[in-house]
Amino acid sequence: MGAVLFLDLDRFKHINDSLGHPVGDLLLKSIAHRLKESLRDIDTVARLGGDEFIILLPGLQTAGDAESIATKLLNSFSAPFQAGEHEFFISTSIGAALFPTDGGDVATLIKNADAAMYRSKAKGRNRVESYTRDLTAQASERIALEHELRRAIERNEFTLSYQPKVSLLTQRLVGAEALIRWSHPTFGDVPPERFIPLAEENGMILQIGEWVLERACQQLHQWNQTYDIFGSLSVNLAGAQLRQPNLVNRIEQLLTEYRLQPGCLQLEITENFIMSQTEEALSVLHRLKNLGVQLAIDDFGTGYSSLSYLKRLPLDILKIDQSFVRGLPDDPHDAAIVRAIIALGRSMQLTVIAEGVENLEQQQFLADEGCEQIQGYIVSLPLPPEEFCATFLRITVSDFSDSTARKPSL
Ligand code: C2E
Ligand code: MG
Ligand code: MG
């Protein structure tokens, strides 16, 4: 009897993105070393690519052996890894497939161990899962999803929902965030957390991102015809979009085409991406800033920010990640982190906004600490455009046939 283990490191991308590939490489080496140390001479450890390892365990006595070896490997990750001058704690997700029960050839065994690894990720990472037959169905579902994603734009299956952002000082609307929705005829509503990572992996994110940008600008233009200017509309940008050489020109083009004040558009970029790209990102961000669009750093607190680098970025807004807001006000760690982020943002003259605000206690805490804006279910769910404008936008009193005639003060 034998087994194939499929290991995928948890959140390795964060480390690679924020500290750079050379540090990531050192960490991979250190992990490979630890894996080899924990196994027998007859076992094989191989790096498949990226942060994925495959382990071959021949000569096993019972089916339980594979799982206990996998668990031993998992536990070996509890000690920190050394990578150059850095020390890291990282975990891994492991999938196991048995020979010959779960497959008689290399391709099947690897595919099944991979499917088991995915389940380990789905169940919360840092665990071992063994292959079972139902996993084959799930793996085909992923492939089907990817296939359907490629057609979603032409089939008009995407829409944007809009979630209001509100000022804690004036209680008034200061803007909205555009969030993509995918409604598939047979899969139903697929949440962005399921298809955005997939789109980032297969490159589809560029087309999707372009669709989102154009649709958001179009919508803003349309609202500008009828309603008071309400602040800025945020659009989430994926890292790959920022790496596109024509991004700045494209945005400039959209602003002209839809006659938008640049300040009406806000681009949200995740902390993880910003921290990964350093010099390159810096120049793109400066060019965007020169256009006059606003720049926000999204999901702040979840990445590895270099504060000296942060200082050099032409940012306007800092968005506190919802994972810290959730525990407010009772969780002392969340409270301390949020307090520190607000102080940091304010001292850097950034507008601080908190996302995922769901109740009054959270809102009160944020207001007391000097957070300027909030977004979350306490104000509203993300809404389809018709509902958003009916609920939150005010019809302009005087009728302007040409919206550019208005001079909004933002
Ligand atoms: P995000 O940009 O951090 O967006 C905030 C997410 O929090 C949204 O999830 C929103 O619906 C959800 N949310 C808002 N208020 C609350 C609240 O009070 N409580 C809780 N629990 N959640 C709240 P959604 O729409 O599912 O989007 C998830 C993520 O997918 C976004 O996180 C963003 O990273 C990504 N995403 C969404 N639309 C786009 C897009 O057009 N382009 C790109 N690149 N990414 C997108
Ligand atoms: Mg966002
Ligand atoms: Mg966020």
Side-chain angles (χ1 to χ4, degrees):
M1 222 178 211
V4 171
L5 303 183
F6 203 109
L7 268 83
D8 189 293
L9 304 177
D10 299 330
R11 304 197 169 93
F12 176 72
K13 206 171 158 291
H14 281 202
I15 294 174
N16 226 5
D17 280 354
S18 46
L19 295 170
H21 291 250
V23 175
D25 288 349
L26 287 175
L27 178 60
L28 285 173
K29 282 187 185 170
S30 169
I31 289 169
H33 193 74
R34 174 92 45 94
L35 291 173
K36 272 168 49 184
E37 262 178 357
S38 322
L39 292 164
R40 307 165 298 177
D41 282 346
I42 56 166
D43 301 328
T44 305
V45 182
R47 174 167 167 251
L48 201 61
D51 61 348
E52 294 174 342
F53 291 90
I54 280 199
I55 291 167
L56 217 59
L57 304 170
L60 301 180
Q61 301 300 321
T62 69
D65 289 352
E67 226 178 286
S68 55
I69 296 173
T71 307
K72 188 176 108 184
L73 289 176
L74 196 73
N75 293 336
S76 79
F77 276 69
S78 56
F81 291 94
Q82 196 72 36
E85 72 216 56
H86 303 271
E87 217 182 44
F88 291 101
F89 283 96
I90 189 166
S91 61
T92 180
S93 300
I94 306 181
L98 291 176
F99 171 85
T101 349
D102 299 334
D105 58 85
V106 175
T108 311
L109 280 166
I110 292 185
K111 186 178 85 190
N112 290 346
D114 185 25
M117 184 279 293
Y118 261 94
R119 178 157 65 191
S120 140
K121 292 266 186 212
K123 284 194 170 175
R125 303 185 171 96
N126 189 23
R127 54 188 289 141
V128 177
E129 286 289 320
S130 294
Y131 173 77
T132 50
R133 277 180 204 289
D134 60 306
L135 283 179
T136 301
Q138 284 177 26
S140 345
E141 197 184 293
R142 245 196 347 267
I143 293 166
L145 201 67
E146 190 168 350
H147 185 79
E148 293 299 300
L149 192 57
R150 292 189 188 278
R151 308 213 166 135
I153 293 184
E154 60 195 65
R155 288 186 186 159
N156 247 327
E157 292 170 357
F158 289 131
T159 53
L160 290 182
S161 278
Y162 298 86
Q163 189 177 38
K165 296 182 284 182
V166 165
S167 158
L168 280 174
L169 292 174
T170 63
Q171 313 296 326
R172 296 181 65 172
L173 185 74
V174 287
E177 177 173 11
L179 293 157
I180 194 166
R181 296 293 174 258
W182 180 19
S183 170
H184 184 271
T186 53
F187 297 151
D189 293 337
V190 188
E193 257 134 9
R194 267 187 79 200
F195 69 85
I196 294 282
L198 205 65
E200 285 178 333
E201 264 172 48
N202 68 18
M204 275 284 299
I205 193 68
L206 293 180
Q207 283 146 276
I208 296 176
E210 159 66 24
W211 181 89
V212 171
L213 265 174
E214 165 127 44
R215 187 76 203 92
C217 290
Q218 222 170 39
Q219 183 65 74
L220 204 53
H221 173 73
Q222 203 186 324
W223 282 336
N224 281 350
Q225 314 294 308
T226 321
Y227 301 99
D228 279 354
I229 302 248
F230 66 96
S232 58
L233 184 61
S234 302
V235 173
N236 292 284
L237 278 196
Q241 287 178 273
L242 276 162
R243 274 190 228 108
Q244 274 192 305
N246 65 347
L247 177 76
V248 182
N249 292 340
R250 178 61 185 144
I251 288 178
E252 193 170 14
Q253 207 176 34
L254 285 170
L255 292 172
T256 315
E257 185 180 344
Y258 292 105
R259 286 178 277 153
L260 302 174
Q261 302 278 338
C264 288
L265 185 66
Q266 189 177 110
L267 302 173
E268 291 193 6
I269 305 154
T270 61
E271 178 188 20
N272 272 304
F273 177 77
I274 289 193
M275 288 303 144
S276 70
Q277 301 298 315
T278 52
E279 293 310 318
E280 264 172 70
L282 201 61
S283 99
V284 180
L285 293 179
H286 275 290
R287 286 169 56 214
L288 286 170
K289 182 74 202 171
N290 287 340
L291 274 187
V293 299
Q294 294 185 27
L295 298 176
I297 183 163
D298 201 357
D299 301 342
F300 191 80
T302 59
Y304 294 81
S305 264
S306 144
L307 298 183
S308 59
Y309 179 58
L310 194 65
K311 197 175 64 179
R312 295 168 57 207
L313 296 172
L315 296 170
D316 306 282
I317 288 107
L318 191 157
K319 198 166 199 181
I320 307 175
D321 190 63
Q322 53 178 280
S323 60
F324 306 114
V325 174
R326 207 169 295 141
L328 297 181
D330 298 328
D331 183 308
H333 300 292
D334 285 346
I337 291 170
V338 167
R339 202 173 277 137
I341 295 179
I342 294 172
L344 174 76
R346 291 181 64 107
S347 71
M348 292 172 87
Q349 269 101 51
L350 301 174
T351 301
V352 180
I353 178 168
E355 65 178 4
V357 182
E358 295 182 353
N359 58 51
L360 269 174
E361 291 73 36
Q362 295 167 340
Q363 179 180 326
Q364 194 55 51
F365 180 94
L366 291 159
D368 291 346
E369 294 301 327
C371 178
E372 287 135 301
Q373 302 178 356
I374 56 165
Q375 183 183 337
Y377 297 164
I378 190 169
V379 182
S380 165
L381 290 168
L383 300 173
E386 317 73 52
E387 268 180 69
F388 176 79
C389 67
T391 319
F392 292 100
L393 299 187
R394 278 210 322 252
I395 294 180
T396 308
V397 185
S398 28
D399 179 35
F400 291 92
S401 48
D402 177 6
S403 69
T404 55
R406 267 180 285 160
K407 288 272 174 287
S409 54
L410 282 175

